Amino acid sequence: MRSGMRRAARLMAAAGAGVGPGAAVRIGTHDGAFHCDEALACALLRLLPRFRDAEVLRTRDPQLLAQCEVVVDVGGEYDPERHRYDHHQRSFTHSMRSLRPDKPWSTKLSSAGLIYCHFGSRILAELLGQPEDGPVVAALYDQLYESFVEEIDAIDNGIAQAEGEPRYALSSTLSARVGRLNPRWNDPDQDTEAGFQRAMELVQREFLERVDHCHRSWLPARALVLESIQRRFEVDGSGVVLELPQGGCPWREHLFRLERELALPQPLLLVLFPDRGGQWRVQSVPTGPHSFRSRLPLPEPWRGLRDEALSQLSGIPGCVFVHASGFIGGNRTREGALEMARRTLEQRGVEEPPPGTGTPKGTL
């Protein structure tokens, strides 16, 4: 009873406010149980100066929604010129690729993806103080859709990650955590307003944290890998050995993406980098971003050996170890690690990686 009275009072106040000059800016979405997509859509809009103080009106009343400047996830229409962003109507089939043909993603958009598609670059430019059409915003726009927003689009539209029965349950996604902010089915008070406010705060905080990570960690890592690719022939004439001047850089994702973007004539095979103790590592590039197989593992006779035994067998001073799978090895010096890489290159065509060879789970 109390929640119904509160909701009626809110709607009466909204109906009397009008849309004339000086009226508060409103974002409309549906009432009742809420989901991650409309919470994120509203939260994203509120990152723009125009909507920073906007009221979020939750209703299904068409007359009240007509008074809103933007309507998301309700209303049965997609009309960006009128700022109507629903995706539930039967006629809606849009993906990022259909709305922006320069993008590769074909996942059907939710209200979150629609708002990100139309306002994402503007939001990032505002947050980062960067030109909307500049390279920083362009790179982060793509990365944030692929690593953050697309998941929410897919979950809201009931699109599974892969074919077949999942091997285990995922219950800690952002969408799942937002869902748990709704009242429990047996709560006496079924009012959803307070929960929706917490949901907007949650998704906005996570989005901002992801923007910060991408800007301050992901983007510098990409720049470091790109620079290393550009000077790879200075490391070894084969052009397949990459040297990173700093250890700890998350290079894998960037390496595969840059190989495609730059259309490298041959795949990169080995990566050199210093570890935190000042020694050097040589690591084989895996066959894919999520693969445990190596493109070119270190020689089989070296695997599992350490220190002097490894140096004597290989004829390379300063060897520290080679992992039993051959995916990584270490040397006390850069020169020693580079020589280990060059000796490994000599085995190409002589020794093919055995099935299952690769990076063990939980390693670098």
Short mmCIF file of all heavy atoms in Angstrom, two decimals, residues 132-192:
data_model
loop_
_atom_site.label_atom_id
_atom_site.label_comp_id
_atom_site.label_asym_id
_atom_site.label_seq_id
_atom_site.Cartn_x
_atom_site.Cartn_y
_atom_site.Cartn_z
N GLU A 132 36.40 14.51 -29.26
CA GLU A 132 35.48 13.41 -29.52
C GLU A 132 35.91 12.58 -30.72
O GLU A 132 35.67 11.37 -30.77
CB GLU A 132 34.07 13.96 -29.73
CG GLU A 132 33.00 12.90 -29.84
CD GLU A 132 31.60 13.48 -29.93
OE1 GLU A 132 31.42 14.65 -29.52
OE2 GLU A 132 30.69 12.77 -30.41
N ASP A 133 36.54 13.21 -31.71
CA ASP A 133 36.97 12.49 -32.91
C ASP A 133 38.45 12.13 -32.86
O ASP A 133 39.05 11.78 -33.88
CB ASP A 133 36.67 13.30 -34.16
CG ASP A 133 37.35 14.68 -34.14
OD1 ASP A 133 37.95 15.05 -33.09
OD2 ASP A 133 37.28 15.39 -35.16
N GLY A 134 39.08 12.20 -31.68
CA GLY A 134 40.50 11.91 -31.56
C GLY A 134 40.79 10.43 -31.38
O GLY A 134 39.88 9.62 -31.12
N PRO A 135 42.06 10.03 -31.48
CA PRO A 135 42.42 8.61 -31.41
C PRO A 135 42.21 7.98 -30.05
O PRO A 135 41.93 6.80 -29.95
CB PRO A 135 43.91 8.61 -31.80
CG PRO A 135 44.39 10.00 -31.50
CD PRO A 135 43.23 10.90 -31.77
N VAL A 136 42.35 8.76 -28.98
CA VAL A 136 42.16 8.19 -27.63
C VAL A 136 40.70 7.79 -27.44
O VAL A 136 40.39 6.66 -27.02
CB VAL A 136 42.60 9.20 -26.55
CG1 VAL A 136 42.19 8.72 -25.16
CG2 VAL A 136 44.11 9.41 -26.60
N VAL A 137 39.78 8.68 -27.75
CA VAL A 137 38.36 8.37 -27.62
C VAL A 137 37.97 7.22 -28.55
O VAL A 137 37.21 6.32 -28.17
CB VAL A 137 37.51 9.62 -27.90
CG1 VAL A 137 36.04 9.26 -28.06
CG2 VAL A 137 37.68 10.63 -26.77
N ALA A 138 38.51 7.22 -29.77
CA ALA A 138 38.17 6.15 -30.72
C ALA A 138 38.61 4.79 -30.20
O ALA A 138 37.85 3.80 -30.27
CB ALA A 138 38.82 6.44 -32.08
N ALA A 139 39.82 4.71 -29.66
CA ALA A 139 40.32 3.43 -29.16
C ALA A 139 39.55 2.96 -27.93
O ALA A 139 39.18 1.78 -27.81
CB ALA A 139 41.81 3.54 -28.84
N LEU A 140 39.27 3.88 -27.01
CA LEU A 140 38.57 3.50 -25.79
C LEU A 140 37.10 3.20 -26.06
O LEU A 140 36.51 2.33 -25.39
CB LEU A 140 38.70 4.61 -24.75
CG LEU A 140 40.11 4.86 -24.22
CD1 LEU A 140 40.08 5.86 -23.08
CD2 LEU A 140 40.77 3.57 -23.75
N TYR A 141 36.50 3.88 -27.02
CA TYR A 141 35.11 3.59 -27.39
C TYR A 141 34.96 2.11 -27.77
O TYR A 141 34.07 1.41 -27.29
CB TYR A 141 34.69 4.48 -28.55
CG TYR A 141 33.27 4.28 -29.03
CD1 TYR A 141 32.22 5.04 -28.53
CD2 TYR A 141 32.98 3.32 -30.00
CE1 TYR A 141 30.91 4.85 -28.97
CE2 TYR A 141 31.68 3.12 -30.45
CZ TYR A 141 30.65 3.89 -29.93
OH TYR A 141 29.36 3.68 -30.37
N ASP A 142 35.84 1.65 -28.64
CA ASP A 142 35.77 0.26 -29.08
C ASP A 142 36.05 -0.71 -27.94
O ASP A 142 35.35 -1.71 -27.76
CB ASP A 142 36.77 0.02 -30.22
CG ASP A 142 36.32 0.64 -31.52
OD1 ASP A 142 35.24 1.26 -31.57
OD2 ASP A 142 37.08 0.54 -32.52
N GLN A 143 37.09 -0.43 -27.16
CA GLN A 143 37.45 -1.33 -26.08
C GLN A 143 36.37 -1.43 -25.02
O GLN A 143 36.06 -2.51 -24.52
CB GLN A 143 38.77 -0.87 -25.44
CG GLN A 143 39.20 -1.66 -24.21
CD GLN A 143 39.48 -3.12 -24.50
OE1 GLN A 143 39.54 -3.54 -25.65
NE2 GLN A 143 39.67 -3.90 -23.45
N LEU A 144 35.75 -0.31 -24.68
CA LEU A 144 34.72 -0.32 -23.65
C LEU A 144 33.45 -1.01 -24.13
O LEU A 144 32.76 -1.67 -23.35
CB LEU A 144 34.42 1.10 -23.19
CG LEU A 144 35.48 1.67 -22.24
CD1 LEU A 144 35.45 3.19 -22.23
CD2 LEU A 144 35.28 1.12 -20.84
N TYR A 145 33.13 -0.88 -25.42
CA TYR A 145 31.97 -1.63 -25.89
C TYR A 145 32.27 -3.12 -25.83
O TYR A 145 31.48 -3.90 -25.30
CB TYR A 145 31.54 -1.24 -27.31
CG TYR A 145 30.31 -2.03 -27.68
CD1 TYR A 145 29.07 -1.68 -27.14
CD2 TYR A 145 30.39 -3.17 -28.47
CE1 TYR A 145 27.93 -2.45 -27.39
CE2 TYR A 145 29.26 -3.95 -28.72
CZ TYR A 145 28.05 -3.58 -28.18
OH TYR A 145 26.93 -4.36 -28.41
N GLU A 146 33.41 -3.52 -26.35
CA GLU A 146 33.73 -4.94 -26.44
C GLU A 146 33.90 -5.58 -25.07
O GLU A 146 33.53 -6.74 -24.87
CB GLU A 146 34.99 -5.14 -27.28
CG GLU A 146 35.32 -6.59 -27.56
CD GLU A 146 36.46 -6.73 -28.55
OE1 GLU A 146 36.21 -6.63 -29.76
OE2 GLU A 146 37.61 -6.89 -28.10
N SER A 147 34.47 -4.86 -24.12
CA SER A 147 34.81 -5.46 -22.83
C SER A 147 33.80 -5.14 -21.73
O SER A 147 33.93 -5.67 -20.62
CB SER A 147 36.19 -4.98 -22.39
OG SER A 147 36.20 -3.59 -22.10
N PHE A 148 32.82 -4.29 -22.00
CA PHE A 148 31.90 -3.90 -20.93
C PHE A 148 30.44 -3.87 -21.39
O PHE A 148 29.60 -4.59 -20.85
CB PHE A 148 32.31 -2.52 -20.38
CG PHE A 148 31.56 -2.09 -19.16
CD1 PHE A 148 31.93 -2.54 -17.91
CD2 PHE A 148 30.47 -1.23 -19.25
CE1 PHE A 148 31.24 -2.16 -16.77
CE2 PHE A 148 29.77 -0.83 -18.12
CZ PHE A 148 30.16 -1.29 -16.87
N VAL A 149 30.13 -3.08 -22.39
CA VAL A 149 28.73 -2.86 -22.75
C VAL A 149 28.13 -4.05 -23.50
O VAL A 149 26.96 -4.40 -23.28
CB VAL A 149 28.58 -1.57 -23.59
CG1 VAL A 149 27.11 -1.33 -23.95
CG2 VAL A 149 29.13 -0.37 -22.83
N GLU A 150 28.92 -4.69 -24.37
CA GLU A 150 28.36 -5.78 -25.19
C GLU A 150 27.82 -6.91 -24.32
O GLU A 150 26.79 -7.52 -24.64
CB GLU A 150 29.41 -6.31 -26.16
CG GLU A 150 28.84 -7.35 -27.12
CD GLU A 150 29.86 -7.88 -28.11
OE1 GLU A 150 31.08 -7.80 -27.84
OE2 GLU A 150 29.45 -8.37 -29.18
N GLU A 151 28.51 -7.21 -23.24
CA GLU A 151 28.03 -8.25 -22.33
C GLU A 151 26.63 -7.94 -21.80
O GLU A 151 25.77 -8.82 -21.73
CB GLU A 151 29.02 -8.38 -21.16
CG GLU A 151 28.55 -9.26 -20.03
CD GLU A 151 29.44 -9.13 -18.81
OE1 GLU A 151 30.66 -8.99 -18.96
OE2 GLU A 151 28.90 -9.15 -17.67
N ILE A 152 26.40 -6.68 -21.45
CA ILE A 152 25.10 -6.27 -20.93
C ILE A 152 24.04 -6.37 -22.02
O ILE A 152 22.91 -6.81 -21.78
CB ILE A 152 25.21 -4.85 -20.35
CG1 ILE A 152 26.16 -4.87 -19.15
CG2 ILE A 152 23.83 -4.30 -19.97
CD1 ILE A 152 26.62 -3.51 -18.70
N ASP A 153 24.38 -5.97 -23.25
CA ASP A 153 23.47 -6.13 -24.38
C ASP A 153 23.07 -7.60 -24.55
O ASP A 153 21.89 -7.93 -24.70
CB ASP A 153 24.13 -5.64 -25.68
CG ASP A 153 24.19 -4.13 -25.78
OD1 ASP A 153 23.46 -3.44 -25.03
OD2 ASP A 153 24.99 -3.63 -26.59
N ALA A 154 24.06 -8.46 -24.54
CA ALA A 154 23.81 -9.87 -24.81
C ALA A 154 22.94 -10.50 -23.71
O ALA A 154 21.99 -11.23 -24.00
CB ALA A 154 25.13 -10.62 -24.94
N ILE A 155 23.28 -10.22 -22.46
CA ILE A 155 22.51 -10.80 -21.36
C ILE A 155 21.07 -10.33 -21.39
O ILE A 155 20.12 -11.12 -21.22
CB ILE A 155 23.18 -10.47 -20.01
CG1 ILE A 155 24.51 -11.24 -19.89
CG2 ILE A 155 22.26 -10.80 -18.84
CD1 ILE A 155 25.32 -10.88 -18.68
N ASP A 156 20.85 -9.04 -21.62
CA ASP A 156 19.49 -8.52 -21.64
C ASP A 156 18.67 -9.10 -22.78
O ASP A 156 17.45 -9.28 -22.64
CB ASP A 156 19.50 -7.00 -21.74
CG ASP A 156 18.14 -6.40 -21.42
OD1 ASP A 156 17.79 -6.33 -20.22
OD2 ASP A 156 17.41 -6.02 -22.36
N ASN A 157 19.32 -9.42 -23.88
CA ASN A 157 18.61 -9.98 -25.04
C ASN A 157 18.62 -11.50 -25.05
O ASN A 157 18.15 -12.12 -26.02
CB ASN A 157 19.24 -9.45 -26.33
CG ASN A 157 18.84 -8.02 -26.62
OD1 ASN A 157 17.66 -7.70 -26.72
ND2 ASN A 157 19.82 -7.13 -26.74
N GLY A 158 19.14 -12.13 -23.98
CA GLY A 158 19.10 -13.58 -23.88
C GLY A 158 20.02 -14.29 -24.85
O GLY A 158 19.70 -15.39 -25.32
N ILE A 159 21.18 -13.69 -25.15
CA ILE A 159 22.13 -14.28 -26.09
C ILE A 159 23.24 -14.97 -25.31
O ILE A 159 23.96 -14.34 -24.54
CB ILE A 159 22.73 -13.19 -27.01
CG1 ILE A 159 21.61 -12.48 -27.77
CG2 ILE A 159 23.74 -13.80 -27.98
CD1 ILE A 159 22.08 -11.24 -28.52
N ALA A 160 23.38 -16.27 -25.50
CA ALA A 160 24.39 -17.04 -24.77
C ALA A 160 25.79 -16.73 -25.30
O ALA A 160 25.97 -16.35 -26.46
CB ALA A 160 24.11 -18.53 -24.90
N GLN A 161 26.78 -16.92 -24.43
CA GLN A 161 28.16 -16.71 -24.85
C GLN A 161 28.61 -17.72 -25.90
O GLN A 161 29.38 -17.39 -26.78
CB GLN A 161 29.11 -16.82 -23.65
CG GLN A 161 29.25 -15.55 -22.84
CD GLN A 161 30.32 -15.69 -21.78
OE1 GLN A 161 30.18 -16.48 -20.86
NE2 GLN A 161 31.38 -14.94 -21.91
N ALA A 162 28.14 -18.95 -25.77
CA ALA A 162 28.58 -20.01 -26.69
C ALA A 162 27.45 -21.02 -26.84
O ALA A 162 26.47 -21.02 -26.08
CB ALA A 162 29.84 -20.69 -26.14
N GLU A 163 27.60 -21.86 -27.83
CA GLU A 163 26.62 -22.91 -28.06
C GLU A 163 26.76 -23.99 -26.99
O GLU A 163 27.83 -24.21 -26.43
CB GLU A 163 26.82 -23.53 -29.44
CG GLU A 163 26.66 -22.56 -30.60
CD GLU A 163 25.24 -22.03 -30.74
OE1 GLU A 163 24.31 -22.76 -30.33
OE2 GLU A 163 25.07 -20.91 -31.23
N GLY A 164 25.66 -24.70 -26.73
CA GLY A 164 25.71 -25.82 -25.81
C GLY A 164 25.45 -25.42 -24.37
O GLY A 164 25.32 -24.25 -24.03
N GLU A 165 25.40 -26.43 -23.51
CA GLU A 165 25.14 -26.22 -22.10
C GLU A 165 26.38 -25.66 -21.42
O GLU A 165 27.48 -26.20 -21.57
CB GLU A 165 24.75 -27.56 -21.44
CG GLU A 165 24.18 -27.43 -20.06
CD GLU A 165 22.80 -26.79 -20.02
OE1 GLU A 165 22.12 -26.79 -21.08
OE2 GLU A 165 22.42 -26.30 -18.95
N PRO A 166 26.26 -24.56 -20.66
CA PRO A 166 27.43 -24.03 -19.96
C PRO A 166 27.95 -25.01 -18.92
O PRO A 166 27.17 -25.75 -18.30
CB PRO A 166 26.92 -22.75 -19.31
CG PRO A 166 25.44 -22.90 -19.24
CD PRO A 166 25.06 -23.75 -20.41
N ARG A 167 29.25 -25.01 -18.70
CA ARG A 167 29.86 -25.96 -17.77
C ARG A 167 29.70 -25.51 -16.32
O ARG A 167 29.82 -26.30 -15.40
CB ARG A 167 31.33 -26.15 -18.11
CG ARG A 167 31.56 -26.76 -19.48
CD ARG A 167 33.04 -26.93 -19.79
NE ARG A 167 33.69 -27.83 -18.84
CZ ARG A 167 34.99 -28.10 -18.87
NH1 ARG A 167 35.76 -27.53 -19.78
NH2 ARG A 167 35.52 -28.92 -17.99
N TYR A 168 29.47 -24.23 -16.10
CA TYR A 168 29.25 -23.73 -14.74
C TYR A 168 28.44 -22.44 -14.82
O TYR A 168 28.33 -21.82 -15.87
CB TYR A 168 30.59 -23.49 -14.02
CG TYR A 168 31.56 -22.61 -14.76
CD1 TYR A 168 31.52 -21.22 -14.65
CD2 TYR A 168 32.52 -23.18 -15.60
CE1 TYR A 168 32.41 -20.43 -15.34
CE2 TYR A 168 33.41 -22.39 -16.29
CZ TYR A 168 33.35 -21.01 -16.15
OH TYR A 168 34.24 -20.21 -16.84
N ALA A 169 27.87 -22.06 -13.68
CA ALA A 169 27.00 -20.88 -13.63
C ALA A 169 27.81 -19.62 -13.40
O ALA A 169 28.81 -19.63 -12.67
CB ALA A 169 25.98 -21.05 -12.52
N LEU A 170 27.39 -18.52 -14.03
CA LEU A 170 27.95 -17.20 -13.77
C LEU A 170 26.90 -16.40 -13.01
O LEU A 170 25.85 -16.08 -13.56
CB LEU A 170 28.31 -16.49 -15.08
CG LEU A 170 29.54 -16.99 -15.83
CD1 LEU A 170 29.68 -16.25 -17.15
CD2 LEU A 170 30.79 -16.80 -15.00
N SER A 171 27.18 -16.11 -11.74
CA SER A 171 26.19 -15.42 -10.92
C SER A 171 26.71 -14.09 -10.40
O SER A 171 26.03 -13.44 -9.60
CB SER A 171 25.80 -16.30 -9.72
OG SER A 171 26.94 -16.60 -8.92
N SER A 172 27.89 -13.67 -10.83
CA SER A 172 28.48 -12.44 -10.29
C SER A 172 28.66 -11.37 -11.37
O SER A 172 29.41 -10.42 -11.17
CB SER A 172 29.84 -12.75 -9.64
OG SER A 172 30.72 -13.35 -10.58
N THR A 173 28.01 -11.53 -12.52
CA THR A 173 28.10 -10.51 -13.55
C THR A 173 27.46 -9.22 -13.05
O THR A 173 26.67 -9.21 -12.09
CB THR A 173 27.40 -10.96 -14.84
OG1 THR A 173 26.00 -11.08 -14.57
CG2 THR A 173 27.97 -12.28 -15.35
N LEU A 174 27.76 -8.12 -13.72
CA LEU A 174 27.14 -6.85 -13.35
C LEU A 174 25.63 -6.94 -13.49
O LEU A 174 24.88 -6.43 -12.65
CB LEU A 174 27.71 -5.72 -14.22
CG LEU A 174 27.22 -4.31 -13.90
CD1 LEU A 174 27.49 -3.93 -12.45
CD2 LEU A 174 27.86 -3.30 -14.86
N SER A 175 25.16 -7.59 -14.54
CA SER A 175 23.71 -7.74 -14.73
C SER A 175 23.08 -8.52 -13.58
O SER A 175 21.98 -8.18 -13.11
CB SER A 175 23.43 -8.45 -16.06
OG SER A 175 23.84 -7.66 -17.16
N ALA A 176 23.75 -9.57 -13.10
CA ALA A 176 23.21 -10.36 -11.99
C ALA A 176 23.18 -9.54 -10.71
O ALA A 176 22.22 -9.61 -9.93
CB ALA A 176 24.04 -11.62 -11.80
N ARG A 177 24.22 -8.75 -10.48
CA ARG A 177 24.26 -7.94 -9.25
C ARG A 177 23.19 -6.85 -9.27
O ARG A 177 22.59 -6.55 -8.24
CB ARG A 177 25.65 -7.36 -9.07
CG ARG A 177 26.66 -8.40 -8.58
CD ARG A 177 28.03 -7.81 -8.36
NE ARG A 177 28.71 -7.60 -9.62
CZ ARG A 177 29.44 -6.53 -9.91
NH1 ARG A 177 29.55 -5.55 -9.04
NH2 ARG A 177 30.05 -6.43 -11.06
N VAL A 178 22.96 -6.27 -10.44
CA VAL A 178 21.87 -5.29 -10.55
C VAL A 178 20.53 -5.98 -10.28
O VAL A 178 19.68 -5.46 -9.55
CB VAL A 178 21.87 -4.62 -11.93
CG1 VAL A 178 20.55 -3.88 -12.18
CG2 VAL A 178 23.04 -3.66 -12.05
N GLY A 179 20.34 -7.16 -10.83
CA GLY A 179 19.08 -7.87 -10.62
C GLY A 179 18.78 -8.12 -9.16
O GLY A 179 17.62 -8.06 -8.73
N ARG A 180 19.82 -8.36 -8.38
CA ARG A 180 19.62 -8.65 -6.95
C ARG A 180 19.29 -7.39 -6.14
O ARG A 180 18.98 -7.50 -4.95
CB ARG A 180 20.85 -9.35 -6.38
CG ARG A 180 20.98 -10.79 -6.84
CD ARG A 180 21.99 -11.56 -6.02
NE ARG A 180 23.35 -11.15 -6.30
CZ ARG A 180 24.13 -11.68 -7.25
NH1 ARG A 180 23.65 -12.64 -8.03
NH2 ARG A 180 25.36 -11.25 -7.43
N LEU A 181 19.35 -6.22 -6.76
CA LEU A 181 18.94 -5.00 -6.08
C LEU A 181 17.42 -4.79 -6.13
O LEU A 181 16.90 -3.91 -5.46
CB LEU A 181 19.66 -3.79 -6.69
CG LEU A 181 21.17 -3.75 -6.48
CD1 LEU A 181 21.78 -2.57 -7.22
CD2 LEU A 181 21.52 -3.68 -5.00
N ASN A 182 16.72 -5.58 -6.94
CA ASN A 182 15.26 -5.55 -6.93
C ASN A 182 14.75 -6.13 -5.60
O ASN A 182 15.44 -6.92 -4.95
CB ASN A 182 14.70 -6.39 -8.08
CG ASN A 182 14.75 -5.67 -9.40
OD1 ASN A 182 13.91 -4.81 -9.66
ND2 ASN A 182 15.73 -6.01 -10.23
N PRO A 183 13.54 -5.74 -5.18
CA PRO A 183 12.98 -6.36 -3.98
C PRO A 183 12.87 -7.87 -4.13
O PRO A 183 12.62 -8.38 -5.23
CB PRO A 183 11.59 -5.71 -3.87
CG PRO A 183 11.67 -4.45 -4.66
CD PRO A 183 12.65 -4.73 -5.77
N ARG A 184 13.09 -8.58 -3.04
CA ARG A 184 12.88 -10.02 -3.08
C ARG A 184 11.40 -10.31 -3.33
O ARG A 184 10.53 -9.51 -2.97
CB ARG A 184 13.34 -10.66 -1.76
CG ARG A 184 14.85 -10.65 -1.57
CD ARG A 184 15.24 -11.31 -0.25
NE ARG A 184 14.84 -10.47 0.88
CZ ARG A 184 15.59 -9.52 1.41
NH1 ARG A 184 16.80 -9.26 0.89
NH2 ARG A 184 15.16 -8.82 2.45
N TRP A 185 11.13 -11.45 -3.91
CA TRP A 185 9.75 -11.76 -4.29
C TRP A 185 8.80 -11.73 -3.11
O TRP A 185 7.61 -11.42 -3.25
CB TRP A 185 9.70 -13.14 -4.97
CG TRP A 185 9.97 -14.29 -4.02
CD1 TRP A 185 11.18 -14.81 -3.70
CD2 TRP A 185 8.99 -15.03 -3.28
NE1 TRP A 185 11.03 -15.85 -2.80
CE2 TRP A 185 9.70 -16.00 -2.54
CE3 TRP A 185 7.60 -14.98 -3.18
CZ2 TRP A 185 9.06 -16.91 -1.68
CZ3 TRP A 185 6.96 -15.89 -2.34
CH2 TRP A 185 7.69 -16.84 -1.60
N ASN A 186 9.31 -12.02 -1.90
CA ASN A 186 8.43 -12.11 -0.73
C ASN A 186 8.59 -10.92 0.22
O ASN A 186 8.16 -10.98 1.36
CB ASN A 186 8.69 -13.41 0.02
CG ASN A 186 10.16 -13.62 0.37
OD1 ASN A 186 11.01 -12.83 -0.02
ND2 ASN A 186 10.45 -14.69 1.10
N ASP A 187 9.24 -9.84 -0.25
CA ASP A 187 9.31 -8.63 0.56
C ASP A 187 7.94 -7.98 0.63
O ASP A 187 7.26 -7.83 -0.40
CB ASP A 187 10.30 -7.63 -0.03
CG ASP A 187 11.75 -7.96 0.29
OD1 ASP A 187 11.98 -8.78 1.21
OD2 ASP A 187 12.64 -7.42 -0.39
N PRO A 188 7.51 -7.54 1.82
CA PRO A 188 6.22 -6.84 1.91
C PRO A 188 6.19 -5.56 1.08
O PRO A 188 5.16 -5.23 0.50
CB PRO A 188 6.10 -6.54 3.41
CG PRO A 188 7.01 -7.51 4.09
CD PRO A 188 8.14 -7.75 3.13
N ASP A 189 7.32 -4.85 1.02
CA ASP A 189 7.40 -3.60 0.26
C ASP A 189 8.04 -3.89 -1.09
O ASP A 189 9.22 -4.24 -1.16
CB ASP A 189 8.22 -2.58 1.04
CG ASP A 189 8.20 -1.20 0.38
OD1 ASP A 189 7.71 -1.09 -0.76
OD2 ASP A 189 8.67 -0.24 1.02
N GLN A 190 7.27 -3.76 -2.15
CA GLN A 190 7.76 -4.06 -3.49
C GLN A 190 8.16 -2.81 -4.27
O GLN A 190 8.31 -2.86 -5.49
CB GLN A 190 6.70 -4.85 -4.27
CG GLN A 190 6.52 -6.28 -3.79
CD GLN A 190 7.73 -7.14 -4.10
OE1 GLN A 190 8.18 -7.23 -5.24
NE2 GLN A 190 8.29 -7.78 -3.06
N ASP A 191 8.36 -1.69 -3.58
CA ASP A 191 8.78 -0.47 -4.26
C ASP A 191 10.20 -0.64 -4.80
O ASP A 191 11.10 -1.12 -4.09
CB ASP A 191 8.74 0.70 -3.29
CG ASP A 191 9.06 2.01 -3.99
OD1 ASP A 191 8.26 2.44 -4.84
OD2 ASP A 191 10.13 2.59 -3.71
N THR A 192 10.40 -0.26 -6.05
CA THR A 192 11.70 -0.48 -6.70
C THR A 192 12.53 0.79 -6.87
O THR A 192 13.63 0.74 -7.42
CB THR A 192 11.48 -1.10 -8.10
OG1 THR A 192 10.64 -0.23 -8.88
CG2 THR A 192 10.85 -2.48 -8.00
#
